[in-house]
């Protein structure tokens, strides 16, 4: 649909739109115009995401998709007033001040951003509120320009040095220092020449804010920190004054702070604009500030006495930076990294690598590591490192909570590129194994990788795994060897699960029967069919066809034996059909059931007749598709459902029922043809079938049961291997057959109403490794098979080929879907000493001992997704003691307290043998004592 311009639309309409379609078109036009003409200073308004979804459904922008069971139901009613009350703090809803946003909001989950004109129209139509506006800001880095929305401006605590009074102010992090001075002067009724503003982080004078053209981001001013206003004693002028620009977002006075800033929750910085109508604004999750190359920002608190303890420094929480602190503490307690960064590493800094960060991340990390190892037990504020991180990884800027493992992955990759010894990476064409032994091909792949990637990170953290893809059609095997930096292991909440499947007969010799079986939770469809085969006592000539039923029809067939059982949800309905071995070469007859009514003769009412019951499936020979063949097959499969009174008088039913498909008589020949030994579907010619004597009405249909075409007497051509027919159920059919057995089938798993919640089973690290290395299917088009020359749904198998000296293990506790997110608190029993990986590694160097590992650090995550907290356990090698690093607080901890259900990332170092980390060599304390704050 072509969207008209907003101006043209308004000119064409003299009144407000009153229909859903008119609302949709006008909002789309306004949003499109705002997107095409965006400029610095434009306003964007926050709208509650729940209300926005209701409006989208009302106007038809969001529709219910039948193949998306998680999609919200379509709401046809007009939504009520706009309700933004959940977006703001309760105490600021009433009054004249601008509402204060809740600190844990996320764009796309809690709110959406709409242009000013869109908000004005929505408010005219629906009223409500409160109105929450934010400005669009031009964010430019050299030639790169983008527009961002400062949803969460900085909230700063302004302390007046004259009387120590405090007040909160709000200012854009992109505002310049001269704007801060100008607004503070206006607020406090002072002259700019009479004052000095200090960076007063943690109530300590860090530096004067004297560079008037520097932004607050560049000055490392952080959320909820203090700034100090001091009067000059001599009253002299500061020199040339800069007139501030008129920036409405720059400074907004707030009332006194009523609550402290929470470590767990925090603001989301929404730099993008997402209208849900096709905006092309930047979709970054946070700001990407410019920053200075200075070494300040570290604020240590010391009593002036010498402390001989090293490596026990905490990290200040700058506002939801516990995710960063825990990752940093784990890395700065990695023995080979400590040795490396305490020495002169500047010779390996690669400033020419286009994939790197010009060496700045490595320098910032090295400075921070040296600071942590030289400050005794004092805590360090990693503000300069945070600014560097925000510059190179905008997704981690701002002060919202993030994933510690994602930050860890970025740090390792960024440090590698900054320290890559390869200045100019050679072009190397990927080669196939061509039948060569795995040892030879793996070594060649590793050498190619090292020719382009050679750093301390590769030396210590990277291993190699073997990936094997198998085509399900031609069995073509493709093998690759790829490097890895860490292992992300699946974490089952239970080892086993119960699945209920209703088994139907495909030849009409038994009523359907539900069976509940227990299978491995990380198992596949092959495992489920094997268990069902045993409990059903299947004959050797029978097999099971597994399918999922949704909305009274076959939603999908589960024919891929390696498809994981995780794709089957507890609320799904599973059925299995007993069919002859080799049924894939026969024509599958799928029988749907529809309710017949008094309008059955009128074709326009056919679409309104709903599907009922559960589909039945049988098989017929490919060349037996006449009317009598189809009726005979359907009659045969319906025999178990016949009521007792229907067995005698209905001659036509008896005639047809007696000539259905016989499972025992089917014999498949080598060429796939059928020897019809006892498989007769007709006792006479097709013309003998009298419509008036037929026991029910059948028609050809589609997979949704909507289409209704007549069945030809002679032959009925079908596309593919499935013929679908629909059976009309009138009062006559209900009297003849008992449909209760096809109705209300049990779900896969439904706990009893009064049943207690089962306690999650504990798992060990080895079961997680087994699940990670288990064969699993890929997506339908993820592999292009060179043998078939087509995309195939291949199966994939991973094997660990080469293990690194530092083995990082990520336990996948978090899962996400379209409308739901979840965290698993399952306790994982992991070894602290003597982790033997010989069972899992495929290649061990000659003369090397078994790959044994020892734990030296753990990243923990406590709480849920919305309000969690990170901390770290780390071991000091030289004294063999464990410590708990919880932001700035560091405490001793016993080794037996390390294993908890909060463990999220595990760090192991290889011990013993000739290829080990130098873990038995203590850190050079004299070198640490001689360190300066900068390298």
């Amino acid at each position: 649909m072509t969207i008209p311009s907003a101006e043209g639309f308004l000119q064409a309409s003299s009144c407000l739109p009153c229909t859903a379609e008119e609302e949709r078109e006008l909002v789309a036009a306004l949003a499109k115009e705002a997107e095409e003409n965006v400029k610095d200073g434009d306003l964007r308004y926050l709208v509650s995401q729940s209300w926005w979804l209701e409006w989208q459904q009302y106007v038809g922008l969001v529709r219910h998709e039948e193949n998306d069971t998680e999609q919200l139901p379509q709401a046809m009613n007009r939504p009520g007033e706009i309700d933004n009350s959940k977006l703001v703090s309760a105490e600021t809803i009433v009054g004249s001040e601008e509402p204060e946003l809740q600190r844990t909001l996320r764009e796309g989950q809690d709110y959406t951003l709409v242009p000013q004109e869109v908000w004005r129209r929505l408010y005219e139509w629906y009223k409500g509120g409160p109105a929450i506006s934010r400005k669009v800001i031009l964010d430019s880095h050299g030639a790169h320009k983008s527009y961002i929305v400062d949803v969460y401006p900085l909230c700063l605590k302004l302390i007046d040095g004259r009387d120590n009074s405090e007040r909160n102010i709000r200012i854009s992090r992109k505002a310049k220092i001269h704007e801060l001075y100008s607004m503070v002067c206006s607020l406090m009724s002072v002259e700019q020449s009479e004052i000095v503003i200090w960076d007063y982080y943690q109530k300590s004078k860090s530096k004067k804010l004297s560079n008037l053209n520097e932004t607050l981001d560049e000055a490392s001013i952080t959320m909820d920190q203090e700034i100090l206003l001091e009067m000059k004693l001599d009253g002299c002028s500061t020199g040339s004054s800069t007139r501030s620009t008129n920036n409405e977002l720059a400074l907004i006075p707030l009332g006194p702070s009523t609550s402290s800033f929470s470590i767990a929750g925090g603001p989301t910085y929404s730099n993008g604009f997402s209208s849900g109508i096709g905006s092309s604004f930047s979709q970054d999750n946070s700001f990407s500030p410019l920053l200075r190359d200075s070494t300040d920002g570290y604020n240590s608190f010391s009593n002036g006495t010498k402390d001989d303890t090293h490596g026990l420094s905490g990290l200040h929480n700058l506002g939801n930076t516990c995710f960063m602190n825990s990752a940093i503490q784990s890395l700065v307690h990695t023995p080979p990294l400590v040795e490396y960064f305490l020495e002169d590493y500047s010779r390996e800094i690669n400033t020419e690598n286009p994939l790197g960060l010009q060496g700045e991340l490595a320098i910032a990390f090295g400075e921070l590591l040296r600071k942590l190892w030289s400050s005794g037990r004092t805590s360090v504020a990693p503000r300069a490192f945070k600014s560097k991180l925000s510059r190179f990884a905008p997704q981690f800027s701002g002060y919202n909570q993030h994933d510690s493992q994602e930050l860890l992955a970025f740090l390792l990759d960024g440090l590698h590129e900054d320290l890559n010894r390869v200045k100019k990476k050679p072009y190397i064409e990927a080669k196939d194994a061509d039948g060569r032994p795995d040892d030879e091909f793996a070594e060649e792949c590793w050498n190619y990788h090292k020719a382009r990637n050679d750093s301390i990170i590769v030396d210590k953290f990277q291993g190699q795994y073997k990936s094997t893809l198998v085509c399900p059609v031609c069995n073509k095997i493709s093998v690759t060897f790829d490097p890895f930096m860490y292992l992300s292991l699946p974490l089952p909440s239970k080892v086993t699960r119960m699945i209920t499947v209703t088994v139907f007969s495909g030849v009409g010799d038994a009523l359907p029967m539900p069976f509940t079986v227990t299978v491995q939770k990380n198992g596949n469809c092959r495992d489920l069919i094997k268990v069902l085969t045993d409990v059903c006592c299947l004959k050797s000539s029978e097999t099971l066809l597994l399918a999922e039923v949704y909305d009274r029809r076959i939603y999908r067939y589960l024919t891929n034996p390696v498809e994981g059982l995780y794709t089957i949800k507890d609320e799904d309905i599973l059925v299995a059909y007993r069919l002859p071995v080799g049924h894939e070469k026969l024509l599958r007859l799928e029988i749907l059931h529809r309710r017949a009514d008094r309008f059955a003769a009128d074709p326009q009412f056919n679409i309104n007749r709903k599907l009922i019951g559960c589909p039945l499936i049988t098989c017929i020979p490919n060349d037996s598709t006449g009317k009598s063949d189809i009726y005979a097959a359907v009659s045969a499969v319906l025999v178990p459902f016949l009521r007792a009174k229907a067995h005698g008088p209905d001659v036509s039913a008896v005639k047809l029922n007696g000539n259905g498909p016989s499972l025992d008589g089917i014999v498949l020949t080598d060429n796939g043809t059928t020897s019809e030994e006892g498989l007769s579907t007709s006792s006479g010619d097709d013309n003998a079938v009298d419509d008036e004597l037929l026991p029910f009405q059948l028609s050809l249909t589609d997979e949704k049961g909507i289409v209704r075409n007549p069945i030809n007497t002679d032959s009925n051509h079908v596309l593919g291997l499935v013929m679908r027919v629909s059976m009309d159920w009138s009062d006559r059919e209900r009297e003849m057959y008992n449909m209760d057995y096809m109705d209300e089938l049990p779900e896969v798993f439904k706990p009893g109403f009064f049943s207690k919640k089962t306690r999650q089973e504990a798992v060990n690290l080895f079961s997680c490794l087994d699940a990670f290395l288990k064969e699993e299917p890929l997506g339908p088009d993820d592999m292009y098979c060179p043998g078939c020359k087509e995309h195939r749904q291949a199966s994939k198998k991973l094997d660990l080929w080469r293990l690194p000296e530092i083995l990082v293990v990520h336990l996948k506790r978090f899962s996400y879907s379209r409308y739901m997110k979840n965290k698993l608190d399952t306790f994982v029993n992991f070894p602290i000493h003597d982790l033997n990986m010989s069972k899992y590694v495929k290649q061990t160097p000659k003369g090397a001992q078994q790959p044994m590992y020892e734990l030296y650090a753990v990243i923990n995550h406590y709480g849920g997704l919305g309000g969690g907290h990170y901390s770290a356990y780390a071991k000091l090698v030289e004294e063999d003691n464990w410590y708990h690093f919880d932001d700035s607080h560091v405490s001793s901890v016993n080794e037996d307290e390390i294993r908890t259900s909060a463990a999220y990332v595990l760090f192991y170092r290889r011990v013993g043998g000739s290829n080990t980390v130098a873990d038995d060599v203590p850190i050079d304390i004299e070198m640490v004592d001689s360190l300066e704050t900068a390298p």
Side-chain angles (χ1 to χ4, degrees), residues 699-717:
S699 55
L700 296 177
T701 188
D702 61 350
E703 60 182 7
K704 295 184 179 180
I706 297 177
V707 175
R708 187 182 185 190
N709 296 322
I711 298 178
N712 298 326
T713 302
D714 297 331
S715 180
N716 295 271
H717 178 71

Side-chain angles (χ1 to χ4, degrees), residues 456-493:
I456 180 67
I457 304 299
V458 174
D459 295 342
K460 304 302 180 183
F461 286 86
Q462 287 197 355
Q464 187 183 34
Y465 63 79
K466 173 186 176 183
S467 176
T468 305
L469 299 180
V470 180
C471 176
V473 178
C474 69
N475 293 322
K476 168 72 176 177
I477 299 176
S478 176
V479 176
T480 58
F481 289 88
D482 301 298
F484 68 86
M485 193 92 73
Y486 52 87
L487 300 178
S488 287
L489 306 185
L491 186 63
S493 58

Side-chain angles (χ1 to χ4, degrees), residues 592-738:
L592 304 179
H593 311 281
R594 296 200 308 177
R595 180 183 292 112
D597 53 31
R598 61 190 180 92
F599 301 108
D602 191 343
Q604 66 176 324
F605 289 97
N606 289 341
I607 195 172
N608 296 324
R609 291 188 291 175
K610 295 182 180 179
L611 294 176
I612 57 176
C614 174
L616 300 177
I617 290 179
T618 186
C619 293
I620 59 176
N622 294 275
D623 56 353
S624 299
T625 59
K627 186 171 186 177
S628 61
D629 299 318
I630 296 173
Y631 270 83
V634 173
S635 296
V637 83
L638 286 172
V639 166
F641 303 95
L642 275 171
R643 299 182 187 272
K645 64 179 181 179
H647 278 284
D650 198 314
V651 179
S652 60
V654 173
K655 175 184 176 182
L656 290 174
N657 289 338
N659 294 282
S662 173
L663 211 148
D664 294 332
I666 294 181
V667 178
L668 292 179
T669 61
D670 293 337
N671 61 4
T673 59
T674 306
S675 173
E676 300 183 16
E677 181 181 316
L679 184 61
S680 172
T681 58
S682 177
S683 58
D685 58 24
D686 292 335
N687 295 327
V689 179
D690 190 342
D691 289 348
E692 295 182 359
L693 298 178
L694 293 176
F696 40 74
Q697 292 297 320
L698 299 178
S699 55
L700 296 177
T701 188
D702 61 350
E703 60 182 7
K704 295 184 179 180
I706 297 177
V707 175
R708 187 182 185 190
N709 296 322
I711 298 178
N712 298 326
T713 302
D714 297 331
S715 180
N716 295 271
H717 178 71
V718 294
L719 296 175
L721 300 176
V722 180
M723 173 184 284
R724 295 181 178 88
V725 298
S726 64
M727 175 178 170
D728 291 339
W729 285 77
S730 64
D731 293 340
R732 186 182 68 167
E733 282 75 30
R734 290 180 177 276
E735 290 178 1
M736 183 179 299
Y737 299 101
N738 187 350

Side-chain angles (χ1 to χ4, degrees), residues 494 497-501 516-517 568-574 746-752 755-756 758:
K494 288 184 179 180
R497 64 180 295 195
M498 299 175 67
I499 293 181
T500 299
V501 183
T516 300
V517 296
I568 301 174
K569 310 302 180 185
D570 286 347
E571 61 272 15
D572 292 343
I573 295 178
L574 282 190
E747 296 178 355
V748 166
F749 179 74
K750 189 171 185 179
S755 61
K756 296 181 179 179
T758 57

Side-chain angles (χ1 to χ4, degrees), residues 53 134 180 234 313 381 383 512 570 672 797 807-808 818 862 918:
L53 283 175
R134 294 292 185 264
L180 175 65
D234 53 8
S313 301
R383 300 170 67 203
D570 286 347
K797 176 72 170 66
L807 180 63
V808 181
R818 187 169 184 179
Y862 304 92

Side-chain angles (χ1 to χ4, degrees), residues 19 147 165 198 238 262 282 284 343 446 471 511 525 543 574 584 592 611 626 638 728 810 833 838 855 860:
T19 67
Y147 289 98
S165 61
W198 288 83
T238 59
S262 169
S282 168
D284 294 338
E343 296 176 352
W446 183 253
C471 176
L511 285 169
C525 290
T543 187
L574 282 190
E584 300 87 355
L592 304 179
L611 294 176
L638 286 172
D728 291 339
H810 165 225
H833 303 283
S838 58
L855 188 75
N860 303 299

